[in-house]
Amino acid sequence: MSGASLSGTSTGTVRGDWVVDLLGGSVPEEGETALRQGQLLTRHGGLVRSVDLGVGDQAQTRDVFAFKWSKQDTYQSKNLTEAQIAWLDSRYGGKDLLQHHGHSGTDTMFVLDAGMGAGFPSKLIFRDNSHQIRLVGADISTAVDLAAREIAPLARESFFIQCDLMHLPFRERSFDIVMSEGVIHHTP
């Protein structure tokens, strides 16, 4: 998939070679598998997914959060969105996350949302500057499908993958910012 678009899905488009560089090889075609960074990946339903997903204790995490994030009416209300934006503004001193980390806006930042879920925090955090990032959303659950549908139209350069955060299939030192909102206490 060198230089081509990953399109024809409802989950967005990958543009350019940056995802190929990130994975250390091409993105598998629908139904195919490929070994990337020691992880066996497949493409199903338009998204790249780890073949060895959620074994043992992580299977429960995968299933619970797929259910939780599928209940969009519980977190997409106007009141909750406004409250979350206020909390994020107070957390980052009235700046967005990129400004908080000293981003000048002149270059594209590589951002990993590790444990993205349905993408609710990313959608709010990058609401004004999604055009300045290459966003990778990774989650162990199928909630990443919801994130792709919600965020791909907003973030021109985005890539979504269902995988275990303990076994990410990316080259080392690939990201400028790694964020993980409400996730760490759920990881082994």
Coordinates of all heavy atoms in Angstrom, one line a residue, residues 15-94:
R15 N -3.7 8.3 4.4 CA -3.0 9.0 3.2 C -1.5 8.9 3.4 O -1.0 9.2 4.5 CB -3.5 10.4 3.2 CG -5.0 10.5 2.9 CD -5.4 12.0 3.0 NE -6.8 12.1 2.8 CZ -7.8 12.1 3.8 NH1 -7.4 11.9 5.0 NH2 -9.0 12.2 3.5
G16 N -0.8 8.7 2.4 CA 0.7 8.7 2.4 C 1.3 7.5 2.9 O 0.7 6.5 3.2
D17 N 2.6 7.6 3.0 CA 3.5 6.5 3.4 C 3.7 6.5 4.9 O 4.4 5.6 5.4 CB 4.8 6.5 2.7 CG 4.7 6.2 1.2 OD1 3.7 5.5 0.9 OD2 5.5 6.7 0.4
W18 N 3.2 7.4 5.7 CA 3.6 7.5 7.1 C 3.1 6.3 7.9 O 3.8 5.8 8.8 CB 3.1 8.8 7.7 CG 1.6 8.9 7.9 CD1 0.7 9.4 6.9 CD2 0.8 8.6 9.0 NE1 -0.5 9.4 7.4 CE2 -0.5 9.0 8.7 CE3 1.1 8.1 10.3 CZ2 -1.6 8.8 9.6 CZ3 0.0 8.0 11.2 CH2 -1.3 8.3 10.8
V19 N 2.0 5.6 7.5 CA 1.5 4.5 8.2 C 2.4 3.3 7.9 O 2.8 2.5 8.8 CB 0.1 4.1 7.9 CG1 -0.4 2.8 8.6 CG2 -0.8 5.3 8.4
V20 N 2.9 3.2 6.7 CA 3.8 2.1 6.2 C 5.1 2.3 7.0 O 5.6 1.3 7.5 CB 4.1 2.2 4.7 CG1 5.2 1.2 4.3 CG2 2.8 1.9 3.9
D21 N 5.6 3.5 7.2 CA 6.8 3.7 8.0 C 6.6 3.3 9.5 O 7.4 2.7 10.1 CB 7.2 5.2 7.9 CG 7.7 5.6 6.5 OD1 8.1 4.7 5.8 OD2 7.7 6.8 6.2
L22 N 5.4 3.7 10.0 CA 5.1 3.4 11.4 C 5.1 1.9 11.7 O 5.6 1.5 12.7 CB 3.7 4.0 11.7 CG 3.1 3.9 13.1 CD1 3.9 4.8 14.0 CD2 1.7 4.3 13.0
L23 N 4.5 1.2 10.7 CA 4.3 -0.3 10.9 C 5.6 -1.0 10.5 O 5.8 -2.2 10.8 CB 3.1 -0.8 10.2 CG 1.8 -0.4 10.6 CD1 0.7 -0.8 9.7 CD2 1.5 -0.9 12.0
G24 N 6.4 -0.4 9.7 CA 7.6 -1.1 9.1 C 7.2 -2.0 8.0 O 8.0 -2.9 7.7
G25 N 6.2 -1.7 7.3 CA 5.7 -2.5 6.2 C 4.3 -2.1 5.8 O 3.7 -1.3 6.5
S26 N 3.9 -2.6 4.7 CA 2.6 -2.2 4.1 C 1.4 -2.7 5.1 O 1.5 -3.6 5.9 CB 2.4 -2.8 2.8 OG 2.3 -4.2 2.8
V27 N 0.3 -2.0 4.9 CA -0.9 -2.3 5.6 C -1.5 -3.5 5.0 O -1.7 -3.5 3.7 CB -1.9 -1.1 5.6 CG1 -3.2 -1.4 6.3 CG2 -1.2 0.1 6.3
P28 N -1.9 -4.5 5.7 CA -2.6 -5.7 5.1 C -3.9 -5.3 4.4 O -4.6 -4.4 4.8 CB -2.9 -6.6 6.3 CG -2.3 -6.0 7.5 CD -1.9 -4.7 7.2
E29 N -4.1 -5.9 3.3 CA -5.4 -5.7 2.6 C -6.5 -6.5 3.4 O -6.2 -7.3 4.2 CB -5.3 -6.3 1.1 CG -4.3 -5.6 0.3 CD -4.7 -4.1 0.0 OE1 -5.9 -3.8 -0.1 OE2 -3.8 -3.3 -0.2
E30 N -7.7 -6.1 3.1 CA -8.9 -6.7 3.8 C -8.7 -8.3 3.7 O -8.6 -8.8 2.6 CB -10.2 -6.3 3.1 CG -11.4 -6.7 3.8 CD -11.6 -5.9 5.1 OE1 -11.1 -4.8 5.3 OE2 -12.4 -6.5 6.0
G31 N -8.8 -8.9 4.9 CA -8.8 -10.3 5.0 C -7.4 -10.9 5.0 O -7.2 -12.1 5.3
E32 N -6.3 -10.2 4.6 CA -5.0 -10.7 4.6 C -4.3 -10.5 6.0 O -4.8 -9.7 6.8 CB -4.1 -10.0 3.5 CG -4.6 -10.3 2.1 CD -3.8 -9.6 1.1 OE1 -2.9 -8.8 1.4 OE2 -4.0 -9.9 -0.1
T33 N -3.2 -11.2 6.2 CA -2.4 -11.0 7.4 C -1.0 -10.6 7.1 O -0.5 -10.9 6.0 CB -2.4 -12.3 8.3 OG1 -1.8 -13.3 7.5 CG2 -3.8 -12.6 8.8
A34 N -0.3 -9.9 8.0 CA 1.0 -9.5 7.8 C 1.7 -9.4 9.2 O 1.1 -9.0 10.2 CB 1.1 -8.2 7.1
L35 N 3.0 -9.8 9.2 CA 3.7 -9.7 10.5 C 4.4 -8.3 10.5 O 5.2 -8.0 9.6 CB 4.8 -10.8 10.5 CG 5.6 -10.9 11.8 CD1 4.6 -11.2 13.0 CD2 6.7 -12.0 11.7
R36 N 4.1 -7.5 11.5 CA 4.7 -6.1 11.6 C 5.2 -5.9 13.0 O 4.4 -6.1 14.0 CB 3.7 -5.0 11.3 CG 3.1 -5.1 9.9 CD 4.2 -4.7 8.8 NE 3.7 -4.9 7.5 CZ 4.0 -5.9 6.7 NH1 4.8 -6.8 7.1 NH2 3.5 -6.0 5.5
Q37 N 6.5 -5.7 13.2 CA 7.1 -5.4 14.5 C 6.8 -6.5 15.5 O 6.5 -6.3 16.6 CB 6.6 -4.1 15.1 CG 6.8 -2.9 14.2 CD 8.2 -2.7 13.7 OE1 9.1 -2.7 14.5 NE2 8.4 -2.4 12.4
G38 N 6.8 -7.8 15.0 CA 6.6 -8.9 15.8 C 5.1 -9.3 16.1 O 4.8 -10.2 16.8
Q39 N 4.2 -8.5 15.5 CA 2.8 -8.7 15.7 C 2.1 -9.2 14.4 O 2.3 -8.5 13.4 CB 2.1 -7.4 16.2 CG 2.7 -6.9 17.5 CD 2.5 -7.9 18.7 OE1 1.4 -8.4 18.9 NE2 3.5 -8.2 19.4
L40 N 1.3 -10.2 14.5 CA 0.5 -10.7 13.4 C -0.7 -9.8 13.3 O -1.6 -9.8 14.2 CB 0.2 -12.1 13.5 CG -0.4 -12.8 12.3 CD1 0.6 -12.7 11.1 CD2 -0.7 -14.3 12.6
L41 N -0.9 -9.1 12.2 CA -2.0 -8.2 12.0 C -2.8 -8.6 10.8 O -2.3 -9.3 9.9 CB -1.4 -6.8 11.7 CG -0.5 -6.1 12.7 CD1 0.0 -4.8 12.2 CD2 -1.2 -6.0 14.0
T42 N -4.1 -8.3 10.9 CA -5.0 -8.6 9.8 C -5.8 -7.3 9.5 O -5.8 -6.4 10.4 CB -5.9 -9.8 10.1 OG1 -6.7 -10.1 8.9 CG2 -6.9 -9.5 11.2
R43 N -6.5 -7.3 8.5 CA -7.4 -6.2 8.2 C -8.8 -6.7 8.1 O -9.1 -7.6 7.3 CB -7.0 -5.4 7.0 CG -7.8 -4.1 6.8 CD -7.1 -3.2 5.9 NE -8.0 -2.3 5.3 CZ -7.9 -1.8 4.0 NH1 -6.9 -2.2 3.3 NH2 -8.9 -1.1 3.6
H44 N -9.7 -6.3 8.9 CA -11.1 -6.8 9.0 C -12.0 -5.6 9.2 O -11.8 -4.8 10.1 CB -11.3 -7.8 10.1 CG -12.7 -8.3 10.2 ND1 -13.2 -9.1 9.3 CD2 -13.6 -8.1 11.2 CE1 -14.5 -9.4 9.7 NE2 -14.7 -8.8 10.8
G45 N -13.1 -5.5 8.4 CA -14.0 -4.4 8.5 C -13.4 -3.0 8.3 O -13.8 -2.0 8.8
G46 N -12.3 -3.0 7.5 CA -11.6 -1.8 7.2 C -10.5 -1.3 8.1 O -9.8 -0.4 7.8
L47 N -10.4 -2.0 9.3 CA -9.4 -1.6 10.3 C -8.4 -2.7 10.4 O -8.7 -3.9 10.3 CB -10.0 -1.4 11.6 CG -10.9 -0.1 11.8 CD1 -11.4 0.0 13.2 CD2 -10.2 1.1 11.4
V48 N -7.2 -2.3 10.8 CA -6.1 -3.2 11.1 C -6.3 -3.7 12.5 O -6.6 -2.9 13.4 CB -4.7 -2.6 10.9 CG1 -3.6 -3.5 11.3 CG2 -4.5 -2.1 9.5
R49 N -6.2 -5.0 12.7 CA -6.4 -5.6 14.0 C -5.3 -6.7 14.3 O -4.9 -7.4 13.4 CB -7.8 -6.3 14.0 CG -8.9 -5.3 13.7 CD -10.3 -6.0 13.6 NE -11.2 -5.2 12.9 CZ -12.0 -4.3 13.5 NH1 -11.8 -4.0 14.7 NH2 -12.8 -3.6 12.8
S50 N -4.9 -6.7 15.5 CA -4.0 -7.8 16.0 C -4.7 -9.1 15.9 O -5.9 -9.2 16.4 CB -3.5 -7.5 17.4 OG -2.7 -8.5 17.8
V51 N -4.1 -10.2 15.5 CA -4.7 -11.5 15.4 C -4.8 -12.1 16.8 O -5.8 -12.7 17.2 CB -3.9 -12.4 14.5 CG1 -4.4 -13.8 14.6 CG2 -4.0 -11.9 13.0
D52 N -3.8 -11.8 17.7 CA -3.7 -12.3 19.0 C -4.3 -11.3 20.0 O -3.6 -10.8 20.9 CB -2.3 -12.7 19.4 CG -1.7 -13.7 18.4 OD1 -2.4 -14.6 18.1 OD2 -0.5 -13.5 18.1
L53 N -5.6 -11.1 19.9 CA -6.2 -10.0 20.7 C -6.8 -10.5 22.0 O -7.6 -11.5 21.9 CB -7.3 -9.3 19.9 CG -7.1 -7.9 19.5 CD1 -8.3 -7.3 18.8 CD2 -6.5 -7.1 20.6
G54 N -6.5 -9.9 23.1 CA -7.3 -10.1 24.3 C -7.3 -11.5 24.8 O -8.4 -12.1 24.9
V55 N -6.2 -12.1 25.1 CA -6.2 -13.4 25.7 C -6.1 -13.2 27.2 O -5.6 -12.3 27.7 CB -5.0 -14.3 25.1 CG1 -5.3 -14.6 23.7 CG2 -3.7 -13.6 25.3
G56 N -6.6 -14.2 28.0 CA -6.5 -14.1 29.4 C -7.3 -12.9 30.0 O -8.4 -12.7 29.6
D57 N -6.7 -12.3 30.9 CA -7.3 -11.1 31.6 C -7.7 -10.0 30.7 O -8.7 -9.3 30.9 CB -6.4 -10.6 32.7 CG -6.2 -11.5 33.8 OD1 -7.0 -12.5 34.0 OD2 -5.2 -11.4 34.6
Q58 N -7.0 -9.9 29.6 CA -7.3 -8.8 28.7 C -8.5 -9.0 27.9 O -9.1 -8.1 27.3 CB -6.1 -8.5 27.7 CG -4.9 -7.9 28.4 CD -5.3 -6.5 29.0 OE1 -5.7 -6.4 30.1 NE2 -5.1 -5.5 28.2
A59 N -9.0 -10.2 27.8 CA -10.3 -10.5 27.1 C -11.4 -9.9 27.8 O -12.3 -9.3 27.1 CB -10.5 -12.0 27.0
Q60 N -11.4 -9.9 29.1 CA -12.5 -9.2 29.8 C -12.4 -7.7 29.6 O -13.5 -7.1 29.4 CB -12.4 -9.5 31.3 CG -13.5 -8.9 32.1 CD -13.4 -9.2 33.6 OE1 -12.5 -9.8 34.1 NE2 -14.4 -8.7 34.3
T61 N -11.3 -7.1 29.6 CA -11.1 -5.7 29.4 C -11.6 -5.4 28.0 O -12.4 -4.4 27.8 CB -9.6 -5.3 29.5 OG1 -9.2 -5.6 30.8 CG2 -9.4 -3.8 29.2
R62 N -11.2 -6.1 27.0 CA -11.7 -5.9 25.6 C -13.2 -5.9 25.5 O -13.8 -5.0 24.9 CB -11.1 -7.0 24.7 CG -11.5 -7.0 23.3 CD -11.3 -8.3 22.5 NE -12.1 -9.3 23.1 CZ -11.8 -10.6 23.3 NH1 -10.6 -11.0 22.9 NH2 -12.6 -11.5 23.8
D63 N -13.8 -6.9 26.1 CA -15.3 -7.1 26.0 C -16.0 -6.0 26.8 O -17.0 -5.4 26.3 CB -15.7 -8.5 26.4 CG -15.1 -9.5 25.5 OD1 -14.7 -9.2 24.4 OD2 -15.1 -10.7 26.0
V64 N -15.6 -5.7 28.0 CA -16.3 -4.7 28.8 C -16.2 -3.3 28.1 O -17.2 -2.6 28.1 CB -15.6 -4.6 30.2 CG1 -16.1 -3.4 31.0 CG2 -16.0 -5.9 31.0
F65 N -15.0 -2.9 27.6 CA -14.9 -1.6 27.0 C -15.6 -1.5 25.7 O -16.0 -0.5 25.3 CB -13.5 -1.1 27.0 CG -13.1 -0.6 28.4 CD1 -12.5 -1.5 29.3 CD2 -13.5 0.6 28.8 CE1 -12.2 -1.0 30.6 CE2 -13.2 1.1 30.1 CZ -12.6 0.2 31.0
A66 N -15.7 -2.6 25.0 CA -16.4 -2.6 23.7 C -17.9 -2.3 24.0 O -18.5 -1.5 23.4 CB -16.3 -3.9 23.0
F67 N -18.4 -2.9 25.1 CA -19.8 -2.6 25.5 C -19.9 -1.2 26.0 O -20.9 -0.5 25.6 CB -20.2 -3.6 26.6 CG -21.6 -3.3 27.2 CD1 -22.7 -3.7 26.4 CD2 -21.7 -2.7 28.4 CE1 -24.0 -3.5 26.9 CE2 -23.0 -2.4 28.9 CZ -24.1 -2.8 28.1
K68 N -19.1 -0.8 26.9 CA -19.2 0.6 27.5 C -19.2 1.6 26.4 O -20.1 2.5 26.4 CB -18.0 0.8 28.4 CG -17.9 2.3 28.9 CD -16.6 2.6 29.6 CE -16.7 4.1 29.9 NZ -15.4 4.6 30.4
W69 N -18.2 1.6 25.5 CA -18.2 2.7 24.5 C -19.2 2.5 23.4 O -19.5 3.5 22.7 CB -16.8 2.7 23.8 CG -15.7 3.2 24.8 CD1 -14.7 2.5 25.3 CD2 -15.6 4.5 25.3 NE1 -14.0 3.3 26.1 CE2 -14.5 4.6 26.1 CE3 -16.4 5.7 25.1 CZ2 -14.1 5.7 26.8 CZ3 -16.0 6.8 25.8 CH2 -14.9 6.8 26.6
S70 N -19.9 1.4 23.3 CA -21.0 1.3 22.3 C -22.2 2.0 22.8 O -23.1 2.3 22.0 CB -21.4 -0.2 22.1 OG -22.0 -0.7 23.3
K71 N -22.3 2.4 24.1 CA -23.4 3.2 24.7 C -23.1 4.7 24.5 O -22.9 5.4 25.5 CB -23.6 2.8 26.1 CG -23.8 1.3 26.4 CD -25.1 0.9 25.7 CE -25.4 -0.6 25.9 NZ -26.4 -1.1 25.0
Q72 N -23.1 5.1 23.3 CA -22.7 6.5 23.0 C -23.6 7.5 23.7 O -23.1 8.6 24.0 CB -22.7 6.7 21.5 CG -21.6 6.0 20.8 CD -21.7 6.2 19.3 OE1 -22.6 5.7 18.6 NE2 -20.7 6.9 18.8
D73 N -24.8 7.2 23.9 CA -25.7 8.2 24.6 C -25.2 8.5 26.0 O -25.6 9.5 26.6 CB -27.2 7.7 24.6 CG -27.3 6.4 25.3 OD1 -26.5 5.5 25.2 OD2 -28.4 6.2 26.0
T74 N -24.4 7.7 26.6 CA -23.9 7.9 28.0 C -22.8 8.9 28.0 O -22.4 9.4 29.1 CB -23.5 6.6 28.6 OG1 -22.3 6.1 27.9 CG2 -24.6 5.6 28.7
Y75 N -22.1 9.2 26.9 CA -21.0 10.1 27.0 C -21.0 11.2 25.9 O -20.1 12.0 25.8 CB -19.7 9.4 26.9 CG -19.5 8.6 25.7 CD1 -18.9 9.1 24.5 CD2 -19.8 7.2 25.6 CE1 -18.7 8.4 23.4 CE2 -19.6 6.5 24.5 CZ -19.1 7.0 23.4 OH -18.9 6.3 22.3
Q76 N -22.0 11.3 25.1 CA -22.1 12.3 24.0 C -23.1 13.4 24.2 O -23.4 14.1 23.3 CB -22.3 11.6 22.6 CG -21.1 10.8 22.2 CD -21.2 10.4 20.7 OE1 -22.3 10.4 20.2 NE2 -20.0 10.1 20.1
S77 N -23.5 13.5 25.5 CA -24.5 14.6 25.7 C -23.8 15.9 25.7 O -22.6 16.0 25.9 CB -25.2 14.4 27.1 OG -24.2 14.7 28.1
K78 N -24.5 17.0 25.5 CA -24.0 18.3 25.4 C -23.4 18.7 26.8 O -22.3 19.2 26.9 CB -25.1 19.3 25.1 CG -24.6 20.8 25.0 CD -25.7 21.7 24.6 CE -25.1 23.1 24.6 NZ -26.2 24.1 24.4
N79 N -24.1 18.4 27.9 CA -23.6 18.7 29.2 C -22.2 18.0 29.5 O -21.3 18.6 30.1 CB -24.6 18.4 30.3 CG -25.8 19.3 30.3 OD1 -25.7 20.4 29.7 ND2 -26.9 18.9 30.8
L80 N -22.2 16.7 29.2 CA -20.9 16.0 29.5 C -19.8 16.5 28.6 O -18.7 16.6 29.1 CB -21.1 14.5 29.3 CG -19.9 13.6 29.6 CD1 -19.4 13.8 31.1 CD2 -20.1 12.2 29.4
T81 N -20.1 16.8 27.4 CA -19.0 17.3 26.5 C -18.5 18.6 27.0 O -17.3 18.9 27.1 CB -19.6 17.5 25.0 OG1 -20.0 16.2 24.6 CG2 -18.6 18.1 24.1
E82 N -19.4 19.5 27.4 CA -19.0 20.8 28.0 C -18.2 20.7 29.2 O -17.2 21.3 29.4 CB -20.2 21.7 28.2 CG -20.8 22.2 26.9 CD -22.2 23.0 27.1 OE1 -22.7 23.0 28.3 OE2 -22.7 23.5 26.2
A83 N -18.6 19.7 30.1 CA -17.9 19.5 31.3 C -16.5 18.9 31.0 O -15.5 19.3 31.7 CB -18.6 18.5 32.2
Q84 N -16.4 18.0 30.1 CA -15.1 17.4 29.7 C -14.2 18.5 29.1 O -13.0 18.5 29.4 CB -15.3 16.3 28.7 CG -14.0 15.5 28.4 CD -13.5 14.7 29.5 OE1 -14.2 14.4 30.5 NE2 -12.3 14.3 29.4
I85 N -14.7 19.4 28.3 CA -13.9 20.4 27.7 C -13.4 21.3 28.8 O -12.2 21.7 28.8 CB -14.7 21.2 26.6 CG1 -14.8 20.3 25.4 CG2 -14.0 22.5 26.3 CD1 -15.8 20.9 24.3
A86 N -14.2 21.7 29.7 CA -13.8 22.6 30.9 C -12.7 21.9 31.7 O -11.7 22.5 32.1 CB -15.0 22.9 31.8
W87 N -12.8 20.6 31.9 CA -11.8 19.8 32.7 C -10.5 19.8 31.9 O -9.4 20.0 32.4 CB -12.3 18.4 32.9 CG -11.3 17.6 33.7 CD1 -11.1 17.6 35.0 CD2 -10.4 16.6 33.2 NE1 -10.1 16.7 35.4 CE2 -9.7 16.1 34.2 CE3 -10.2 16.1 31.9 CZ2 -8.7 15.1 34.1 CZ3 -9.2 15.2 31.7 CH2 -8.5 14.7 32.8
L88 N -10.6 19.5 30.6 CA -9.3 19.5 29.8 C -8.7 20.9 29.7 O -7.4 21.0 29.8 CB -9.7 19.0 28.3 CG -10.1 17.6 28.2 CD1 -10.6 17.3 26.8 CD2 -8.9 16.7 28.4
D89 N -9.5 21.9 29.6 CA -8.9 23.3 29.6 C -8.2 23.6 30.9 O -7.1 24.2 31.0 CB -10.0 24.3 29.3 CG -10.4 24.3 27.9 OD1 -9.8 23.7 27.0 OD2 -11.5 25.0 27.6
S90 N -8.8 23.2 32.0 CA -8.1 23.4 33.3 C -6.9 22.5 33.5 O -5.9 22.9 34.1 CB -9.1 23.1 34.5 OG -9.4 21.7 34.6
R91 N -6.9 21.3 33.0 CA -5.8 20.4 33.1 C -4.6 20.9 32.3 O -3.4 20.7 32.7 CB -6.2 19.0 32.5 CG -5.1 18.0 32.6 CD -5.6 16.7 32.3 NE -4.6 15.7 32.5 CZ -4.7 14.5 32.1 NH1 -5.7 14.0 31.4 NH2 -3.7 13.6 32.3
Y92 N -4.8 21.5 31.1 CA -3.7 22.0 30.3 C -3.5 23.5 30.3 O -3.0 24.1 29.4 CB -3.9 21.5 28.8 CG -3.9 20.0 28.8 CD1 -5.1 19.3 28.3 CD2 -2.8 19.2 29.1 CE1 -5.1 17.9 28.2 CE2 -2.8 17.8 29.1 CZ -3.9 17.2 28.6 OH -4.0 15.8 28.6
G93 N -4.0 24.1 31.4 CA -3.8 25.5 31.6 C -4.4 26.4 30.5 O -3.8 27.4 30.1
G94 N -5.6 26.0 30.0 CA -6.2 26.8 29.0 C -5.7 26.7 27.6 O -6.1 27.3 26.7

